[in-house]
Short mmCIF file of all heavy atoms in Angstrom, two decimals:
data_model
loop_
_atom_site.label_atom_id
_atom_site.label_comp_id
_atom_site.label_asym_id
_atom_site.label_seq_id
_atom_site.Cartn_x
_atom_site.Cartn_y
_atom_site.Cartn_z
N PRO B 214 -61.87 63.58 96.62
CA PRO B 214 -62.77 62.44 96.68
C PRO B 214 -62.35 61.15 95.97
O PRO B 214 -62.86 60.01 96.13
CB PRO B 214 -64.02 62.98 95.95
CG PRO B 214 -63.63 64.09 95.16
CD PRO B 214 -62.36 64.59 95.74
N ALA B 215 -61.43 61.37 94.99
CA ALA B 215 -60.78 60.20 94.27
C ALA B 215 -59.30 60.09 94.51
O ALA B 215 -58.45 60.40 93.74
CB ALA B 215 -61.11 60.24 92.71
N SER B 216 -58.97 59.91 95.82
CA SER B 216 -57.51 59.90 96.21
C SER B 216 -56.82 58.80 95.52
O SER B 216 -57.34 57.77 95.36
CB SER B 216 -57.58 59.80 97.75
OG SER B 216 -58.28 58.52 98.07
N PRO B 217 -55.62 59.11 95.16
CA PRO B 217 -54.72 58.07 94.57
C PRO B 217 -54.55 56.85 95.28
O PRO B 217 -54.44 56.88 96.57
CB PRO B 217 -53.41 58.83 94.37
CG PRO B 217 -53.38 59.94 95.22
CD PRO B 217 -54.82 60.39 95.48
N SER B 218 -54.49 55.73 94.63
CA SER B 218 -54.38 54.50 95.31
C SER B 218 -53.66 53.54 94.32
O SER B 218 -53.56 53.76 93.04
CB SER B 218 -55.50 53.84 95.80
OG SER B 218 -56.55 53.81 94.75
N CYS B 219 -52.99 52.42 94.90
CA CYS B 219 -52.31 51.57 94.03
C CYS B 219 -52.07 50.20 94.65
O CYS B 219 -52.30 50.06 95.77
CB CYS B 219 -51.04 52.08 93.59
SG CYS B 219 -49.63 52.13 94.89
N THR B 220 -51.75 49.17 93.92
CA THR B 220 -51.36 47.86 94.36
C THR B 220 -49.88 47.90 94.84
O THR B 220 -49.20 48.84 94.55
CB THR B 220 -51.65 46.90 93.33
OG1 THR B 220 -50.55 46.90 92.35
CG2 THR B 220 -52.98 46.82 92.68
N PHE B 221 -49.51 46.74 95.41
CA PHE B 221 -48.01 46.48 95.77
C PHE B 221 -47.70 45.05 95.48
O PHE B 221 -48.34 44.28 95.89
CB PHE B 221 -47.88 46.82 97.30
CG PHE B 221 -46.63 46.53 97.75
CD1 PHE B 221 -45.52 47.26 97.62
CD2 PHE B 221 -46.30 45.09 98.24
CE1 PHE B 221 -44.16 46.94 98.00
CE2 PHE B 221 -45.06 44.81 98.73
CZ PHE B 221 -43.91 45.67 98.47
N THR B 222 -46.57 44.95 94.83
CA THR B 222 -46.07 43.69 94.49
C THR B 222 -44.46 43.88 94.80
O THR B 222 -43.88 44.66 94.13
CB THR B 222 -46.34 43.10 93.24
OG1 THR B 222 -47.74 43.24 92.94
CG2 THR B 222 -45.98 41.61 92.95
N GLY B 223 -43.94 43.09 95.72
CA GLY B 223 -42.55 43.27 95.97
C GLY B 223 -41.80 41.95 96.04
O GLY B 223 -42.44 40.96 96.38
N ALA B 224 -40.61 41.80 95.62
CA ALA B 224 -39.69 40.69 95.81
C ALA B 224 -38.30 41.03 96.29
O ALA B 224 -37.77 41.91 95.75
CB ALA B 224 -39.71 39.96 94.50
N ILE B 225 -37.88 40.21 97.19
CA ILE B 225 -36.41 40.27 97.48
C ILE B 225 -35.74 38.99 97.06
O ILE B 225 -36.25 37.95 97.33
CB ILE B 225 -36.25 40.35 99.04
CG1 ILE B 225 -37.02 41.54 99.62
CG2 ILE B 225 -34.78 40.41 99.35
CD1 ILE B 225 -36.96 41.38 101.23
N VAL B 226 -34.81 39.15 96.19
CA VAL B 226 -33.98 38.00 95.68
C VAL B 226 -32.78 37.93 96.62
O VAL B 226 -31.95 38.91 96.66
CB VAL B 226 -33.70 37.93 94.27
CG1 VAL B 226 -32.82 36.80 93.87
CG2 VAL B 226 -34.86 37.96 93.30
N ALA B 227 -32.58 36.78 97.32
CA ALA B 227 -31.41 36.71 98.16
C ALA B 227 -30.73 35.33 97.77
O ALA B 227 -31.13 34.30 98.26
CB ALA B 227 -31.70 36.68 99.75
N GLY B 228 -29.82 35.42 96.85
CA GLY B 228 -29.13 34.30 96.37
C GLY B 228 -30.21 33.29 95.68
O GLY B 228 -30.95 33.71 94.81
N ARG B 229 -30.37 32.13 96.32
CA ARG B 229 -31.38 31.22 95.69
C ARG B 229 -32.68 31.25 96.28
O ARG B 229 -33.50 30.20 96.01
CB ARG B 229 -30.78 29.77 95.72
CG ARG B 229 -29.48 29.59 94.78
CD ARG B 229 -29.96 29.38 93.41
NE ARG B 229 -28.88 29.74 92.39
CZ ARG B 229 -29.04 29.74 91.15
NH1 ARG B 229 -30.24 29.40 90.59
NH2 ARG B 229 -28.00 30.03 90.40
N THR B 230 -33.00 32.22 96.96
CA THR B 230 -34.34 32.31 97.56
C THR B 230 -34.96 33.65 97.22
O THR B 230 -34.28 34.64 97.20
CB THR B 230 -34.31 32.28 99.11
OG1 THR B 230 -33.46 31.00 99.39
CG2 THR B 230 -35.58 32.09 99.69
N ALA B 231 -36.23 33.52 97.02
CA ALA B 231 -36.97 34.87 96.72
C ALA B 231 -38.11 34.97 97.76
O ALA B 231 -38.73 33.94 98.09
CB ALA B 231 -37.67 34.91 95.44
N TYR B 232 -38.22 36.16 98.48
CA TYR B 232 -39.21 36.40 99.46
C TYR B 232 -40.11 37.34 98.73
O TYR B 232 -39.71 38.44 98.14
CB TYR B 232 -38.70 36.93 100.70
CG TYR B 232 -37.68 36.10 101.28
CD1 TYR B 232 -36.37 36.31 101.16
CD2 TYR B 232 -37.99 35.10 102.18
CE1 TYR B 232 -35.28 35.50 101.64
CE2 TYR B 232 -37.13 34.19 102.75
CZ TYR B 232 -35.74 34.47 102.54
OH TYR B 232 -34.77 33.64 103.20
N VAL B 233 -41.33 37.05 98.70
CA VAL B 233 -42.37 37.98 97.87
C VAL B 233 -43.53 38.37 98.66
O VAL B 233 -43.93 37.61 99.72
CB VAL B 233 -42.80 37.39 96.58
CG1 VAL B 233 -41.60 36.85 95.73
CG2 VAL B 233 -43.72 36.13 96.86
N GLY B 234 -44.14 39.40 98.32
CA GLY B 234 -45.33 39.87 98.97
C GLY B 234 -46.15 40.77 98.19
O GLY B 234 -45.61 41.49 97.26
N ASN B 235 -47.51 40.73 98.46
CA ASN B 235 -48.43 41.57 97.58
C ASN B 235 -49.53 41.90 98.30
O ASN B 235 -50.10 41.33 99.28
CB ASN B 235 -48.61 40.83 96.38
CG ASN B 235 -49.85 39.81 96.54
OD1 ASN B 235 -49.57 38.78 96.97
ND2 ASN B 235 -51.06 40.17 95.94
N VAL B 236 -50.15 43.15 97.79
CA VAL B 236 -51.43 43.69 98.22
C VAL B 236 -52.09 43.98 97.01
O VAL B 236 -51.44 44.82 96.23
CB VAL B 236 -51.20 44.98 99.22
CG1 VAL B 236 -52.69 45.50 99.50
CG2 VAL B 236 -50.59 44.56 100.52
N GLY B 237 -53.36 43.62 96.72
CA GLY B 237 -53.95 44.02 95.50
C GLY B 237 -53.77 42.74 94.50
O GLY B 237 -53.63 41.70 94.87
N ASP B 238 -53.90 43.21 93.20
CA ASP B 238 -53.86 42.16 92.12
C ASP B 238 -52.69 42.10 91.21
O ASP B 238 -52.76 41.48 90.07
CB ASP B 238 -55.28 42.09 91.49
CG ASP B 238 -55.37 43.26 90.48
OD1 ASP B 238 -54.51 44.31 90.73
OD2 ASP B 238 -56.24 43.31 89.66
N SER B 239 -51.76 42.90 91.49
CA SER B 239 -50.38 42.58 90.71
C SER B 239 -49.82 41.31 91.14
O SER B 239 -49.94 40.92 92.34
CB SER B 239 -49.54 43.81 90.83
OG SER B 239 -50.24 45.10 90.51
N ARG B 240 -49.07 40.74 90.22
CA ARG B 240 -48.74 39.31 90.49
C ARG B 240 -47.17 38.95 90.37
O ARG B 240 -46.51 39.78 89.85
CB ARG B 240 -49.42 38.31 89.57
CG ARG B 240 -50.89 38.32 89.74
CD ARG B 240 -51.51 37.18 88.91
NE ARG B 240 -52.96 37.19 89.13
CZ ARG B 240 -53.82 36.41 88.49
NH1 ARG B 240 -53.38 35.83 87.43
NH2 ARG B 240 -55.05 36.46 88.66
N ILE B 241 -46.69 37.85 91.12
CA ILE B 241 -45.43 37.30 91.01
C ILE B 241 -45.54 35.86 90.62
O ILE B 241 -46.34 35.21 91.18
CB ILE B 241 -44.77 37.44 92.39
CG1 ILE B 241 -44.97 38.87 92.93
CG2 ILE B 241 -43.36 37.17 92.20
CD1 ILE B 241 -44.49 39.01 94.44
#
Side-chain angles (χ1 to χ4, degrees):
Chain B
S216 54
S218 49
C219 67
T220 68
F221 169 88
T222 308
I225 303 167
V226 178
R229 289 279 156 184
T230 306
Y232 304 97
V233 305
N235 78 287
V236 174
D238 68 348
S239 301
R240 290 186 180 172
I241 309 169

